[in-house]
Amino acid sequence: MNDQPYAVALLSGGLDSMVAAARAREDGFALLALSVDYNQRHRVELAAARRIAHALGAARHVILPLDLSAFGGSALTAEIDVPKTGVGEAIPVTYVPARNTVLLSLALSWAEAVGARDLVIGVNALDYSGYPDCRPEFIAAFEDMAGLATKAGVEGARFTVHAPLQHLTKAQIVLEAARLGLDAGMSWSCYDPAPGGVHCGLCDSCRLRQRGFAEAGLPDPTVYAQRP
């Protein structure tokens, strides 16, 4: 029987979620990895999530189907072109409406079901492309909501959302992956995979990834179809 406390880690397959989950493991948690197949354009990230969950020794990895393309409203879930012109200031069309609220709610449900009180998410408030559900205010509000929305919370339990990358730059996240001994090549960042199953190199996420490795001064193991 496992004597470590469990943490439910949202594992998208991206670099940030991989590093956040690895940090939780380093902190002594046994990982319950949750990935959501929301019919995202870049579903190849789910294969990366499987690789990462195995590499991190997750006690269990659930890939939960939840087709958000039924709602649309995002370039990741509808027939909307993924921008390739660079990272802007406005909230981009790759924002999926309320995605992190949905994903954390699923993680909360699993956590309460198994008696866990810790959730892990790889959100980042610096190099975050303007997504509102990556902000510290959102994480704090979700913790408060979890106490109101659950039987465990009403009975006095406190749920904690661990967001260890919240105030790191992408370069610092790359360096943290190296410190943790992670193979960054296992992760997937691209929003619009190119033919041959490689990163497009031009979407916001690819640009942030490239910049992170360059600023960290570490080799980028990613194969890109193009570079800016």
Side-chain angles (χ1 to χ4, degrees):
M1 184 175 180
N2 188 13
D3 58 359
Q4 293 176 291
Y6 282 113
V8 177
L10 287 169
L11 194 63
S12 68
L15 179 65
D16 294 358
S17 71
M18 177 175 71
V19 173
R23 279 279 295 268
R25 182 184 65 171
E26 182 181 54
D27 289 342
F29 289 103
L31 298 178
L32 298 173
L34 176 60
S35 306
V36 178
D37 180 354
Y38 57 92
N39 205 17
Q40 56 268 55
R41 179 191 298 263
H42 56 313
R43 292 179 74 247
V44 63
E45 71 176 0
L46 296 172
R50 291 188 188 94
R51 293 193 295 270
I52 294 166
H54 177 75
L56 294 180
R60 189 178 175 201
H61 182 207
V62 170
I63 298 179
L64 192 69
L66 181 66
D67 188 358
L68 295 182
S69 69
F71 299 157
S74 167
L76 302 189
T77 57
E79 292 301 318
I80 301 170
D81 289 340
V82 173
K84 301 290 182 72
T85 56
V87 181
E89 296 296 326
I91 298 173
V93 295
T94 50
Y95 163 73
V96 178
R99 179 179 63 180
N100 285 346
T101 306
V102 172
L103 300 187
L104 276 173
S105 296
L106 295 171
L108 175 64
S109 178
W110 191 8
E112 186 178 29
V114 299
R117 298 294 177 259
D118 295 273
L119 315 177
V120 182
I121 186 169
V123 293
N124 175 258
L126 294 181
D127 293 335
Y128 77 130
S129 294
Y131 298 139
D133 53 1
C134 290
R135 294 175 298 164
E137 300 93 324
F138 165 71
I139 297 300
F142 190 92
E143 288 181 330
D144 291 340
M145 183 277 295
L148 297 172
T150 59
K151 176 177 180 289
V154 169
E155 292 176 349
R158 175 69 181 175
F159 290 92
T160 300
V161 179
H162 300 266
L165 313 185
Q166 190 127 73
H167 302 291
L168 301 185
T169 65
K170 188 64 74 175
Q172 289 171 323
I173 293 169
V174 168
L175 290 170
E176 186 68 351
R179 184 190 69 81
L180 291 162
L182 302 173
D183 175 8
M186 289 192 299
S187 65
W188 182 272
S189 298
C190 182
Y191 290 149
D192 192 21
V198 300
H199 286 61
C200 76
L202 299 179
C203 69
D204 285 4
S205 190
C206 280
R207 289 171 186 265
L208 287 170
R209 184 180 177 104
Q210 290 172 52
R211 189 172 76 192
F213 279 98
E215 292 179 354
L218 293 177
D220 186 349
T222 314
V223 178
Y224 300 101
Q226 300 181 63
R227 286 184 177 270

